[in-house]
């Protein structure tokens, strides 16, 4: 009887050990995905524009767990869009994926409302002082409210279409503010409707050009709206011997193309943060 009980106890312990080992193996397969937080209806009152200006913001996974300051990316939308466009089209999932895979720095992403003003003053002979609002009120206001490293080496800007123009305009006009700039399907030739980007660059000396932010542009070869403008701008930058990156690949003027650009934007911004 004692031998029987001993054998039975041994068998139970053996199965118990196997069950525990199997459970451990299952536990090892669990991968925790850290997620950032998205706030899609934030606002800041503008004295210049005399109204509340909306914006969306992405805070990285560890923002609520620490007192650290983070670099920032200003991510601009296109014409007839708004401050929720990037959020609606899934930017937070791309952010989380790149950060969790150590392919992007943990950063804050701010998405302002461009109100179809091309992110400049008096677009198309209008009277909207958007540039003044963005530089004098919006960026300082956001960087005061959130734990943002408010310095050139920790500040990037990017945008699509109208936002590609806006990002390029601000980065080239104020090279002391941004470490990098990324234009996606940028509307880079605006005629007299908005400040001429080429004139801004031509007004700079060779020494000043060397201090410009790192610059990259990406455009779809089937984008009938802006492909020729991007080709022309790339040619102009090459003539100025301005170092930059130009990616042209199959794609149109749509969200499928821009969401495929976003991982490149995040890696480019991250590589230029210091």
């Amino acid at each position: 009887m004692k031998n029987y009980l001993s054998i039975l106890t041994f068998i139970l312990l053996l199965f118990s050990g196997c069950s525990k080992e199997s459970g451990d193996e299952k536990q090892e397969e669990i991968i925790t995905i850290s997620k950032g937080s998205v706030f899609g209806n934030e606002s800041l009152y503008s004295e210049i524009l005399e109204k509340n200006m909306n914006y969306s913001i992405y805070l990285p996974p560890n923002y609520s767990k620490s007192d650290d300051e983070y670099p920032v990316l200003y991510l601009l939308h296109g014409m007839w869009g708004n401050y929720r466009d990037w959020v609606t089209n899934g930017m937070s999932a791309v952010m989380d994926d790149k950060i969790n895979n150590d392919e992007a720095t943990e950063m804050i992403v701010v998405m302002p409302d461009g109100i179809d003003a091309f992110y400049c003053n008096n677009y198309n002979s209008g009277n909207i002082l958007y540039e003044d609002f963005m530089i004098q009120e919006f960026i300082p206001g956001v960087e005061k409210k959130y734990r943002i490293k408010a310095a050139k080496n920790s500040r990037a800007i990017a945008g699509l279409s109208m936002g590609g123009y806006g990002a390029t305009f601000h980065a080239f006009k104020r090279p002391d503010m941004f470490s990098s700039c990324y234009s996606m399907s940028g509307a880079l030739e605006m005629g007299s409707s908005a400040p001429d980007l080429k004139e801004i660059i031509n007004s700079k000396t060779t020494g000043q050009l060397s201090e410009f932010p790192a610059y990259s542009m990406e455009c779809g070869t089937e984008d009938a709206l802006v492909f020729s403008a991007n080709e022309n701008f790339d040619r102009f930058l090459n003539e100025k011997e301005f170092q930059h990156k130009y990616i042209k690949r199959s794609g149109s003027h749509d969200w499928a193309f821009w969401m495929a650009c976003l991982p490149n934007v995040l890696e480019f911004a991250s590589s230029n943060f210091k």
Side-chain angles (χ1 to χ4, degrees):
M1 185 66 176
K2 288 182 180 179
N3 289 339
Y4 174 77
L5 289 174
S6 298
I7 293 171
L8 182 60
T9 301
F10 174 77
I11 292 172
L12 290 171
L13 288 172
L14 181 62
F15 274 95
S16 175
C18 290
S19 177
K20 184 177 181 182
E21 184 179 344
S22 176
D24 288 344
E25 287 177 356
K26 289 181 179 179
Q27 189 171 359
E28 289 175 1
E29 293 174 359
I30 296 174
I31 300 174
T32 301
I33 302 297
S34 298
K35 294 185 177 181
S37 301
V38 176
F39 300 90
N41 287 296
E42 301 300 290
S43 66
L44 179 151
Y45 183 75
S46 169
E47 297 284 351
I48 293 172
L49 301 179
E50 298 182 335
K51 64 178 180 177
N52 279 315
M53 290 296 292
N54 295 319
Y55 64 94
S56 295
I57 189 165
Y58 169 92
L59 302 178
N62 288 312
Y63 186 87
S64 62
K65 305 172 187 176
S66 73
D67 295 321
D68 294 342
E69 292 185 335
Y70 293 87
V72 61
L73 167 66
Y74 290 92
L75 188 58
L76 313 182
H77 65 79
M79 194 74 169
W80 303 306
N82 63 51
Y83 63 100
R84 292 185 57 83
D85 280 4
W86 280 105
V87 172
T88 302
N89 284 279
M91 63 78 62
S92 61
V94 178
M95 292 295 309
D96 293 340
D97 180 67
K98 299 300 283 185
I99 289 172
N100 277 281
N101 287 302
D102 295 323
E103 295 171 345
T105 302
E106 282 204 67
M107 69 182 81
I108 292 172
V109 183
V110 182
M111 294 152 278
D113 196 337
I115 57 173
D116 294 342
F118 262 81
Y119 303 96
C120 63
N121 283 343
N122 305 318
Y123 166 66
N124 203 22
S125 300
N127 58 0
I128 299 176
L129 300 178
Y130 191 95
E131 178 185 351
D132 292 352
F133 155 72
M134 185 167 180
I135 300 302
Q136 298 174 28
E137 294 180 326
F138 184 71
I139 290 178
V142 166
E143 295 185 357
K144 182 178 180 181
K145 182 176 180 179
Y146 301 94
R147 298 197 311 275
I148 291 173
K149 294 179 181 178
K152 170 180 177 172
N153 290 338
S154 300
R155 190 185 292 121
I157 190 167
L160 67 89
S161 193
M162 175 183 80
Y165 168 88
T168 304
F169 168 67
H170 285 287
F172 285 179
K173 186 171 182 180
R174 297 177 176 83
D176 58 318
M177 282 191 66
F178 302 97
S179 59
S180 70
C181 174
Y182 205 109
S183 169
M184 296 165 271
S185 312
L188 303 177
E189 291 184 347
M190 293 306 301
S192 60
S193 298
D196 190 325
L197 298 174
K198 294 178 181 179
E199 288 184 5
I200 293 174
I201 295 172
N202 282 331
S203 69
K204 307 293 183 181
T205 65
T206 302
Q208 288 174 319
L209 287 178
S210 66
E211 298 173 358
F212 269 35
Y215 185 67
S216 184
M217 47 196 286
E218 189 166 355
C219 192
T221 52
E222 288 77 49
D223 190 335
L225 191 62
V226 298
F227 182 65
S228 62
N230 280 259
E231 290 281 282
N232 291 339
F233 197 62
D234 171 61
R235 191 178 305 112
F236 170 77
L237 293 179
N238 285 328
E239 290 171 355
K240 299 294 292 187
E241 298 183 351
F242 178 74
Q243 295 296 318
H244 66 288
K245 185 175 183 179
Y246 179 33
I247 300 171
K248 49 184 174 180
R249 58 180 174 82
S250 180
S252 301
H253 207 79
D254 56 31
W255 277 101
F257 184 84
W258 299 323
M259 290 307 296
C261 290
L262 186 56
N264 296 335
V265 174
L266 302 179
E267 290 181 14
F268 189 71
S270 297
S271 68
N272 287 285
F273 286 144
K274 295 179 182 177

